[in-house]
């Protein structure tokens, strides 16, 4: 019995010791803290005095997207004449340099002194606000909202900050913008209303970084000069540039800027000839054509200064047009009109209507010995002449083209209803036989028209 009690006491001692050890181990272990993540939600904008000073001081930029670039930010400045503030998008290209649109930069030195660059807090960088010290370079532009002409001019500016900012720099690609290039626009998009609150105050002018996908569009009716990668103004589809978005960089898949947006023409849709047309079109300055003033005597590509009209674009389209569908009709016609001539399909511009056209053109005349033999009224000795008085009459089709646009505002060509012409060719058969060529007088007259025939002459050779 004593042994049993002893064992019971020993067991209790061992159990107590074991429990104390377990408690020691547990109590000495540090408590695991829950993982904390930065909160990137945008706070509600507070009410501030509805004065340009109050709005200027309260302006902030936020970023709540996952891939917010460190270089992107906004710009705010006091507008004395308007009694408010102006806002745009900026990009950091060096520790103390930002790039934006020229129309965003205050022209008055006093307003420039009240201009700040605002960078949002991101996963790598804190929120920062830096004053603008000076304008390094700015393209010459006068923005006039009543006229879209300013949209067709280069619009960029490089500004120097009052102090350096240690953030990611935007890299710029100066190789131009090819057609159908997918680009991402990052913008400091305003998110608060300009309308006063019930108390007569106004919400602080907050903006957030947004991104939208764009695609470059060459050969549009609105930006006809953009038909090659080095045009100074680039057209962008599928995206819009609104107030505050001016200066947005358009970056490629490598994250390098190819252009900087400065405006849009529409955010609506329209109908043309029963088709839905997407009229959204943004304008941007090609980075290849910007003299940033950072290098001495920077020489821009000559192609940047080439201006092209809509007519020239349509002419180029016509030169590249695929005539295959018309060639099918032309070949059918040629098979039925090959008694005397071999024919080519000729491209030309109607000097009166300025329409581009395709029509049969004489390539050569067949040897008279191959003509269908019929007696000639003028030369009894030449029994192979088929037409009296050395005259050949042919009915020619003419396919007219006119400029139109597709559903993405790109210029294109549309075939107008084919017209019929009568061609009358006069020549001396004796000269043709002797010289193997002849000067032929040719007149063209549109059938069922009161207009006078068009006349001319050219030397036609016998087909080899």
């Amino acid at each position: 019995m004593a042994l049993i009690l002893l064992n019971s006491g020993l067991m209790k001692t061992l159990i107590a010791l074991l429990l104390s050890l377990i408690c020691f181990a547990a109590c000495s272990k540090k408590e695991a803290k829950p993982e904390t993540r930065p909160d990137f939600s945008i706070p509600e904008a507070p009410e501030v005095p509805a004065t340009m000073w109050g709005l200027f001081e309260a302006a902030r930029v936020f970023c709540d997207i996952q891939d917010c670039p460190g270089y992107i930010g906004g710009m705010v400045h006091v507008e004395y004449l308007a009694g408010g503030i102006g806002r745009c998008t900026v990009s950091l290209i060096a520790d103390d340099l930002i790039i934006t649109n020229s129309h965003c930069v205050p022209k008055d030195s006093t307003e420039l002194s009240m201009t700040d660059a605002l960078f949002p807090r991101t996963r790598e960088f804190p929120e920062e606000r830096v004053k603008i010290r000076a304008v390094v370079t700015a393209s010459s532009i006068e923005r006039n909202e009543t006229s879209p002409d300013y949209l067709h001019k280069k619009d960029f500016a490089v500004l120097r900050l009052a102090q350096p900012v240690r953030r990611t720099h935007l890299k710029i690609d100066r190789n131009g913008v090819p057609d159908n290039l997918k680009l991402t626009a990052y913008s400091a998009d305003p998110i608060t209303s300009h309308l006063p609150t019930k108390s007569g105050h106004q919400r602080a002018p907050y903006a957030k970084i947004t991104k939208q996908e764009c695609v470059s569009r060459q050969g549009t009716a609105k930006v006809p000069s953009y038909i090659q990668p080095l045009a100074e103004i680039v057209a962008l589809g599928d995206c819009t540039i609104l107030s505050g978005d001016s200066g947005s960089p358009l970056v490629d898949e490598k994250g390098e800027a190819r252009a900087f947006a400065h405006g849009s023409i529409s955010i609506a849709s329209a109908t043309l000839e029963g088709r839905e047309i997407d009229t959204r079109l943004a304008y941007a300055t090609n980075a290849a054509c910007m003299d940033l003033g950072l290098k001495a005597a920077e020489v821009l590509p000559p192609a940047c200064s080439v201006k092209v009209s809509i007519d020239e674009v349509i002419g180029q389209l016509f030169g590249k047009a695929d005539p295959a569908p018309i060639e099918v009709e032309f070949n059918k016609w040629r098979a039925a009109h090959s008694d005397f001539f071999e024919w080519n399909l000729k491209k030309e511009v109607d000097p009166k209507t300025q329409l581009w056209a395709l029509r049969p053109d004489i390539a050569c005349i067949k040897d008279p010995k191959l003509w269908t033999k019929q007696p000639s009224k003028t030369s009894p000795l030449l029994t192979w002449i088929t037409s009296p008085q050395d005259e050949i009459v042919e009915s020619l089709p003419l396919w007219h083209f006119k400029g139109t646009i597709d559903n993405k505002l790109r210029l294109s060509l549309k075939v107008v209803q084919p017209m019929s012409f009568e061609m009358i060719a006069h020549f001396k058969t004796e000269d043709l036989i002797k010289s193997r060529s002849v000067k032929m007088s040719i007149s063209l007259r549109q059938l069922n028209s009161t207009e006078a025939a068009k006349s001319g002459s050219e030397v036609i050779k016998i087909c080899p």
Side-chain angles (χ1 to χ4, degrees):
M1 187 70 177
L3 181 61
I4 295 174
L5 289 174
L6 178 61
N7 289 342
S8 298
L10 181 60
M11 185 175 294
K12 289 180 180 179
T13 303
L14 291 173
I15 291 173
L17 180 60
L18 182 61
L19 289 174
S20 64
L21 290 173
I22 293 174
C23 180
F24 175 77
C27 295
S28 63
K29 186 177 181 180
K30 293 183 179 180
E31 293 183 4
K33 295 182 179 180
E35 183 182 357
T36 58
R37 296 183 179 181
D39 180 14
F40 287 96
S41 60
I42 301 174
E44 182 180 0
E47 294 187 13
V48 297
T51 64
M52 55 185 176
W53 304 109
L55 296 172
F56 173 75
E57 294 293 342
R60 295 177 67 185
V61 176
F62 298 88
C63 186
D64 61 353
I65 58 177
Q66 293 292 326
D67 57 344
C68 187
Y71 58 76
I72 198 71
M75 188 174 76
V76 60
H77 71 273
V78 170
E79 293 183 335
Y80 285 100
L81 293 179
I85 60 170
R87 290 188 281 179
C88 282
T89 298
V90 302
S91 302
L92 190 72
I93 58 174
D95 284 352
D96 63 342
L97 293 175
I98 58 173
I99 188 168
T100 186
N101 286 161
S102 180
H103 78 256
C104 297
V105 180
K107 301 301 183 285
D108 183 88
S109 59
T110 305
E111 288 187 3
L112 185 62
S113 66
M114 294 298 295
T115 303
D116 289 357
L118 313 173
F119 294 99
R121 181 168 71 103
T122 69
R123 298 185 183 279
E124 295 85 15
F125 306 102
E127 182 178 1
E128 297 179 80
R129 182 169 183 145
V130 187
K131 290 196 171 296
I132 307 298
R133 191 179 78 186
V135 178
V136 176
T137 186
S139 58
S140 178
I141 189 167
E142 291 294 332
R143 183 161 182 163
N144 181 359
E145 299 292 351
T146 62
S147 172
D149 290 345
Y150 71 89
L151 292 171
H152 296 271
K153 298 179 181 178
K154 291 191 291 186
D155 191 350
F156 69 94
V158 176
L159 309 178
R160 191 172 300 281
L161 302 176
Q163 62 190 50
V165 176
R166 306 301 181 187
R167 302 174 76 95
T168 307
H169 299 166
L170 171 65
K171 294 182 180 180
I172 300 177
D173 188 320
R174 309 291 295 274
N175 292 313
V177 185
D179 195 19
N180 292 318
L181 181 65
K182 292 182 179 180
L183 298 166
T184 301
Y186 288 98
S187 307
D189 206 14
I191 57 175
T192 50
S193 172
H194 294 287
L195 299 176
T197 61
K198 292 181 179 179
S199 63
H201 287 59
Q202 198 167 314
R203 292 289 179 185
Y206 283 3
K208 73 173 182 178
I209 303 302
T210 61
K211 70 174 185 177
Q212 54 180 325
E213 302 304 320
C214 310
V215 61
S216 59
R217 286 188 195 164
Q218 289 187 6
T220 64
K222 291 296 183 181
V223 193
S225 59
Y226 177 41
I227 56 173
Q228 45 92 12
L230 296 178
E232 66 179 17
I233 304 300
V234 174
L236 303 160
D238 303 338
C239 59
T240 55
I241 301 300
L242 305 176
S243 177
D245 299 346
S246 295
S248 297
L250 293 144
V251 301
D252 59 20
E253 60 181 5
K254 298 182 298 182
E256 298 181 359
R258 296 295 191 101
F260 293 86
H262 58 256
S264 291
I265 57 167
S266 176
I267 57 172
S269 295
T271 302
L272 178 68
E273 299 175 347
R275 296 177 291 120
E276 287 294 324
I277 304 295
D278 182 4
T279 61
R280 292 178 302 163
L281 201 67
Y283 293 71
T285 302
N286 195 333
C289 300
M290 299 190 308
D291 182 359
L292 301 180
L294 305 178
K295 297 180 182 178
E298 186 172 5
V299 179
L300 299 178
C304 287
S305 58
V306 175
K307 303 295 182 183
V308 181
S309 68
I310 289 182
D311 286 344
E312 289 173 310
V313 175
I314 296 179
Q316 292 191 27
L317 289 174
F318 182 66
K320 299 175 183 178
D322 179 13
I326 292 176
E327 283 180 344
V328 173
E329 299 298 320
F330 167 70
N331 288 333
K332 291 179 181 178
W333 176 89
R334 179 168 56 182
H337 296 78
S338 58
D339 291 339
F340 307 108
F341 299 112
E342 290 291 341
W343 302 90
N344 290 325
L345 193 58
K346 181 181 180 180
K347 294 181 177 181
E348 65 180 9
V349 179
D350 188 322
K352 183 176 181 179
T353 63
Q354 291 300 305
L355 292 176
W356 286 261
L358 288 171
R359 69 169 177 84
D361 183 56
I362 298 173
C364 58
I365 189 168
K366 292 185 176 181
D367 192 319
K369 295 178 182 179
L370 302 177
W371 296 355
T372 303
K373 293 186 178 182
Q374 292 182 4
S376 170
K377 294 182 180 179
T378 57
S379 304
L381 297 177
L382 302 176
T383 59
W384 49 79
I385 301 299
T386 61
S387 300
Q389 300 177 355
D390 300 337
E391 177 183 280
I392 298 177
V393 180
E394 292 280 9
S395 176
L396 305 183
L398 182 141
W399 294 273
H400 266 150
F401 293 81
K402 72 174 183 178
T404 184
I405 58 174
D406 63 14
N407 64 340
K408 296 293 186 180
L409 290 181
R410 292 183 190 268
L411 286 165
S412 60
L413 293 176
K414 178 182 178 181
V415 180
V416 184
Q417 187 69 25
M419 300 179 182
S420 296
F421 282 77
E422 180 184 67
M423 184 196 80
I424 303 176
H426 293 277
F427 59 96
K428 290 184 179 181
T429 308
E430 292 89 343
D431 293 344
L432 177 63
I433 295 172
K434 291 177 182 178
S435 304
R436 307 287 296 175
S437 66
V438 68
K439 185 174 183 179
M440 195 173 291
S441 175
I442 301 174
S443 66
L444 288 173
R445 182 180 66 84
Q446 183 178 347
L447 297 178
N448 303 318
S449 174
T450 58
E451 293 186 8
K454 300 174 184 178
S455 300
S457 63
E458 56 182 301
V459 175
I460 304 297
K461 296 182 179 180
I462 290 180
C463 300

